[in-house]
Amino acid sequence: MREPRAVEVVGVGALNVDYIASASRLSQLMAEQVQESVARFEWNTEGPVDQASVVKAIERLGAASLDASLGGSAWLTIFTLAQLRLDVRLG
């Protein structure tokens, strides 16, 4: 019987739901709203956001223009390592 290997990489940190607005799916009429929304966020940073802010952003951009996906630095790192199919145990 093979002895189980210990976990070699453990992700500790953020697991977020990211809402990605695709420019091709947004109408020209919404360009002003998109610029205003973008101006409120700092690129390449993470931080807590209250539920009311998320709901307001989704309502302004329109749910049909958004794609939800998993995100967060820890999750993305572990996911990327898993996609590389290395002989490394992940946790």
Side-chain angles (χ1 to χ4, degrees), residues 64-75:
S65 69
L66 302 172
D67 290 316
S69 65
L70 289 177
S73 53
W75 188 87

Side-chain angles (χ1 to χ4, degrees), residues 57-90:
I58 291 171
E59 288 172 349
R60 292 191 78 156
L61 295 174
S65 69
L66 302 172
D67 290 316
S69 65
L70 289 177
S73 53
W75 188 87
L76 289 171
T77 300
I78 296 300
F79 178 78
T80 300
L81 289 170
Q83 298 306 302
L84 293 173
R85 302 191 190 289
L86 304 172
D87 188 24
V88 176
R89 289 182 51 97
L90 306 171

Side-chain angles (χ1 to χ4, degrees), residues 6 9 17 24 28-29 32 35 39 42 52 65-66 73-74 80 91:
V9 178
V17 176
S24 64
Q28 276 299 98
L29 298 174
E32 189 174 298
Q35 288 175 350
E42 186 176 342
S65 69
L66 302 172
S73 53
T80 300

Side-chain angles (χ1 to χ4, degrees), residues 30-75:
M30 297 183 68
E32 189 174 298
Q33 289 181 0
V34 171
Q35 288 175 350
E36 179 186 335
S37 296
V38 168
R40 294 177 184 226
F41 300 101
E42 186 176 342
W43 290 99
N44 296 317
T45 62
E46 293 182 10
V49 178
D50 60 89
Q51 182 176 351
S53 296
V54 172
V55 170
K56 185 176 179 180
I58 291 171
E59 288 172 349
R60 292 191 78 156
L61 295 174
S65 69
L66 302 172
D67 290 316
S69 65
L70 289 177
S73 53
W75 188 87

